[in-house]
Amino acid sequence: MFGLPSPSKLVVLVAVVLAVWYGFKWINQLDKSRKDGAPRRTRKGGSAGDDVKGIETQTCPTCGTYFPASVGSYCGGSRCKDGGA
Ligand SMILES: [Zn+2]
């Protein structure tokens, strides 16, 4: 009934146990470092890549104001409405 498993089966068994053990260890370390290092990033729970990127800004050539690059080539302020006169 309970015959001794063959050496190859034992090796596979040990490998699986070690993989699970180190897997748990790795997950615990990841979880711990995430909680300790960056508590602000986890509040959304979504993908971290979108939050890190932020907004790309550029400097208005006329007044020197920083503004989002998606607005255009000028900041759109009262002095710069016409594209910098
Ligand atoms: Zn401007």
Side-chain angles (χ1 to χ4, degrees):
M1 253 200 285
F2 299 107
L4 197 70
S6 60
S8 61
K9 272 184 186 174
L10 273 175
V11 168
V12 170
L13 188 72
V14 168
V16 167
V17 168
L18 280 178
V20 170
W21 176 262
Y22 280 108
F24 271 116
K25 242 175 141 181
W26 181 65
I27 287 171
N28 278 337
Q29 270 181 2
L30 218 83
D31 200 41
K32 202 177 174 186
S33 68
R34 201 180 276 181
K35 276 176 187 169
D36 290 347
R40 286 170 298 165
R41 277 192 201 169
T42 53
R43 83 195 136 148
K44 261 189 175 179
S47 61
D50 292 335
D51 288 338
V52 175
K53 236 197 253 172
I55 301 171
E56 199 174 310
T57 58
Q58 57 181 333
T59 313
C60 178
T62 306
C63 65
T65 303
Y66 286 99
F67 63 96
S70 58
V71 171
S73 41
Y74 290 90
C75 69
S78 56
R79 283 192 298 169
C80 316
K81 250 185 211 163
D82 304 319

